[in-house]
Amino acid sequence: MEGDDCELQYGDGTNEAQDSDFPTVERSRLQEMLSLLGLETYQVQKLGLQDALQISSDSMRNWAPQAPKDLPWNFLRKLQALSAEARNTTMVLDVPSDARPVEKESQMEEEVIYWDTVDDISADIYSFSELPTPDTPVNPLDLLCALLLSSDGFLQQEIVLRMSLCQFALPLVLPDSENHSHTFLLWAMRGIVRTWWAQPLRGAGSLREDSVVLPRAPAFAFVRMEVSSNSKSQLLNAVLSPGHRQRDCFWHRDLSLGTSPREIADGLVEISWFLPSGREDLDLFPEPVAFLNLRGDIGSHWLQFKLLTEVSSAVFILTDNISKKEYKLLSSMKGSATKYYFILSPYRGKRNSNLRFLNRLTPVLRMDHSHVLVKVSSTDGARFVRRVRSIVANVARSPCRRVSVEDMAHAARKLGLKVDEDCEECQRAKDRMERITRGIKDSEAYCREELRLQGELWRKVARVEKELCQAQWAGDPPDKHRAELRLRLLELRTQQSSHDPARGLQEFIAGISCPSLSERQYFLRWMEWGLAWVAQPRPRPPPETVLTLRPKQCGAGDLRELRPEPLGVEHFLREMGQFYEAESCLVEAGTLPAGQRRFAHFPGLALELLVRGLPLELIDGSTRSTPLHWITGLLKELQVRLERRSRLVVLSALGVPGTGKSTLLNTMFGLRFATGRGRGPTGAFMQLVAVAESFSQDLGCDHILVIDSGGLIGGTLAMAGERFELEASLATLIMGLSNVTVVSLAETRDVPPAIVHAFLRLEKMGHMPNYQFVYQNVHDTPLPGPKLWERRPLLEQPAEGSRAAAQVDRQGDGLRTLAALAFCDPDKQHVWHVPGLWHGAPPMAAVSLGYSEAVFELKRCLLENIRNGLSNPNRSIQQLLELVRLL
């Protein structure tokens, strides 16, 4: 195969090139691997996000997979929990009783099989070696590729997002030998948002937040040519690790015991980034740097290698031997702007032939002696890593190629690779999003001019509704006053109804109404990203109080008061809700015939989004009020949709913003509640989690409705006043709807007064959910979990504010303990101490294993309480409707 021919064949992406990539024997290996893992049934109807997130009996036990068919589900479960051990799973195979030795019949014997990858060992793809069987290990990269090939684009996105949070290297090019194609995973990575410290050449540094697919950065590729005694992945991990803090972004053969050769993952390209934190002791490079890793030999995966040479600032080639074939292939790279470096182990290869071919390649690849690094067993490993790191830093500092992931996707298209984002449904959804966001120059102005039913008009409606509600509960209030309030409310609703949906809202409604389910889901994701992009204009506005804070100086309340509520999908749904509310009010008043309704179908459209995993607003964040007609309409639609599977348990989380409650819920149940200090919406949101039919009878419910209180509870020390009353009312509403409530605390004594007040109100009503108090170590200081005797003080201490809260509600003035208020049994666990989320300093820190393990135990306890009836009994949706009206 001559070099020029290679360029012609692989440059235009013809079938001839791809056929040579995939021998016949390789095609059958994919099907056998899918069958081994139990994924063959998902090749036509792909695995979806809802399949992976439903609650089953496995959600309550920390089980080890017992057969290869368990591995995909175990991997998904551990990824959802952000476990650092997701890639390091063991299979525990029970030995059949008739196979056990007679003298050990009473003992349970287990065979523990560790499975791992061989990073850089060459495999003959023509050999007919045994494929994995239920008795042999499965390579984790094979598992990842098989699972991604069996998943739809939205589950792929979730897998890649969770891998990013775990600081795992991400799949960039997914090989598919069976269908003769490779897929560039642009869509799968588009939802990943990272924050890093940006330090310009002049001026103060600042925190920058962006999607990983957008910023341009120097990229460095590491590839293997034939056989290499040195592991690429181990070298990459060492380059990315400051000092003695080892980072295992790239999986390699020495991460655990045992090895297993790859069967279908050769040709996989992975990517990881170094992102600076602003700390000199941790920052290896002053700017973001991308690292790319090709699994397998470049001779067998020339198309991927060609892509890497076109997007990288430099390519590091690891090999023990340069053969004539590889020399001809590399000679075709003549004229490339990419720098090339060789990492050799010459004593393991043919030293003289290596030198001869290197001398010939030097002018072709524009190399000199500094581009050849030698690493043998006697080489000082730390010194060698510093040398590689120095080369990367020098290239990054010099004028070099800088590319984004979007740029890489463009290069992949030119080479004939498939890009996952190029499907028609995705592109139609993107075009619709752009038609909406193109005209948004200023978010506040857009809300004021296009989403006209919100803003001051909606605030006036909320105030009148609140007064009317208070008048009804005041006890024999004057009828004249109530009549005046109803008339005023009708006038405001009539004023709202005089408007028509603006063009942007009409386009949004069309997007969530289209017949294709996939297109609707694509549209919602595009809207989320498009609106987030609008909310972050380039260059960023210069409020120094926000942007010049060093990472460690950002506190829980630093950003919230300085940033307006960002424009999001919830604003469009809120506008739909207000059209429905206004119309319903006029129908009730008799001023609009029911047959003339135009917006009666809106709750059904929104319900479809809830069922598909989008959080919907329960309490409006701008007015701190509940649109009762809208929520009632949603729940009625939910009742129709769920039919016989309509038994609900409501689980809520409350606490001061910045205590990690949204992240906690997302980690436990794989949800999508907004996270980030000061950046998320302020309303309360609900999301629906399905319970597997095989488990619903045992658990006692068919679905769990999870409510995140967002930023509604401020934790102010004030014991009276309008804000306190409002927060107390909202806390009462959320807790009153709940069977189980998680109270998230930043400090052991920091129970917000509004929540204490809600305890008193609910006690009066005779409705008390099961409470779990979670103390999260948000400052990342070591905190061992407490013993049972250590849990008692939090429950037995006087609840600060309980006397003042009782006086506000006219329920006496006694000071009561938290256990008495929340009806907690101190002998049972109600208090949880969760370690810090990060192991190390962000943005390069991974989620700590202690955090994921503690969150799993909390989840198990919550589900046990639901199953054992320790929470309030599950409800039908009709009962929930009545409770909403009552509260």
Side-chain angles (χ1 to χ4, degrees), residues 664 774-785 832-838 847-855:
L664 184 74
V774 178
Y775 170 40
Q776 296 207 58
N777 184 22
V778 294
H779 299 298
D780 298 325
T781 52
L783 181 67
W832 300 80
H833 287 245
V834 176
L837 174 63
W838 302 114
V847 174
S848 73
L849 185 60
Y851 178 86
S852 61
E853 289 176 345
V855 171

Side-chain angles (χ1 to χ4, degrees), residues 102-134:
V102 175
E103 66 272 14
K104 295 185 178 180
E105 282 186 354
S106 61
Q107 300 177 10
M108 174 63 75
E109 295 185 16
E110 294 178 334
E111 179 184 359
V112 180
I113 297 179
Y114 297 90
W115 47 289
D116 201 343
T117 182
V118 180
D119 183 284
D120 293 316
I121 295 180
S122 178
D124 182 1
I125 60 176
Y126 294 99
S127 67
F128 290 85
S129 61
E130 289 291 328
L131 283 161
T133 68

Side-chain angles (χ1 to χ4, degrees), residues 132-362:
T133 68
D135 299 318
T136 60
V138 176
N139 186 286
L141 294 176
D142 287 341
L143 171 63
L144 175 63
C145 290
L147 189 54
L148 289 173
L149 289 170
S150 306
S151 304
D152 67 16
F154 304 99
L155 180 54
Q156 286 182 350
Q157 210 171 65
E158 182 71 10
I159 290 171
V160 173
L161 172 62
R162 299 276 165 169
M163 290 179 68
S164 172
L165 291 172
C166 294
Q167 292 292 352
F168 297 162
L170 308 181
L172 182 70
V173 177
L174 178 65
D176 181 356
S177 59
E178 186 71 16
N179 297 306
H180 296 201
S181 64
H182 308 290
T183 303
F184 189 96
L185 300 179
L186 175 61
W187 168 261
M189 284 199 288
R190 190 172 285 279
I192 301 173
V193 176
R194 301 292 297 270
T195 305
W196 65 92
W197 187 256
Q199 182 67 53
L201 293 176
R202 297 175 183 173
S206 62
L207 286 174
R208 179 179 175 182
E209 182 182 84
D210 214 338
S211 167
V212 295
V213 306
L214 298 177
R216 288 189 167 95
F220 295 86
F222 286 70
V223 301
R224 170 170 59 83
M225 188 166 67
E226 287 198 344
V227 176
S228 173
S229 305
N230 299 305
S231 167
K232 297 191 315 299
S233 299
Q234 283 181 306
L235 176 59
L236 278 164
N237 290 341
V239 170
L240 286 165
S241 302
H244 298 291
R245 305 184 185 186
Q246 180 65 27
R247 289 177 179 142
D248 293 317
C249 300
F250 294 92
W251 190 254
H252 59 84
R253 57 179 172 247
D254 291 334
L255 278 179
S256 67
L257 300 177
T259 60
S260 176
R262 292 187 298 270
E263 298 292 343
I264 64 171
D266 277 349
L268 173 70
V269 177
E270 298 168 290
I271 186 170
S272 187
W273 288 268
F274 175 84
L275 300 173
S277 64
R279 290 179 50 176
E280 293 182 2
D281 58 326
L282 296 178
D283 288 351
L284 303 171
F285 309 105
E287 63 174 320
V289 178
F291 292 89
L292 302 159
N293 185 14
L294 171 61
R295 301 286 182 167
D297 170 43
I298 64 173
S300 302
H301 306 285
W302 187 255
L303 183 59
Q304 291 92 319
F305 178 62
K306 179 75 169 159
L307 173 65
L308 296 184
T309 63
E310 294 194 5
V311 301
S312 301
S313 304
V315 175
F316 290 81
I317 301 173
L318 285 77
T319 187
D320 291 350
N321 177 41
I322 304 176
S323 67
K324 185 176 181 180
K325 174 186 173 183
E326 273 65 39
Y327 163 72
K328 290 183 177 180
L329 292 176
L330 291 173
S331 297
S332 68
M333 298 290 105
K334 183 176 181 180
S336 171
T338 306
K339 296 183 184 336
Y340 292 89
Y341 294 85
F342 283 84
I343 298 178
L344 303 176
S345 298
Y347 299 109
R348 298 288 299 273
K350 301 176 182 178
R351 183 174 184 180
N352 292 334
S353 63
N354 284 348
L355 291 175
R356 184 171 66 253
F357 285 126
L358 281 173
N359 287 331
R360 293 180 185 177
L361 286 173
T362 296

Side-chain angles (χ1 to χ4, degrees), residues 11 175 192 202 237 252 319 358 364 377 473 709 718 795 801 816 879:
I192 301 173
R202 297 175 183 173
N237 290 341
H252 59 84
T319 187
L358 281 173
V364 175
S377 57
W473 283 89
S709 64
L795 296 175
R816 303 168 63 187
Q879 291 172 321

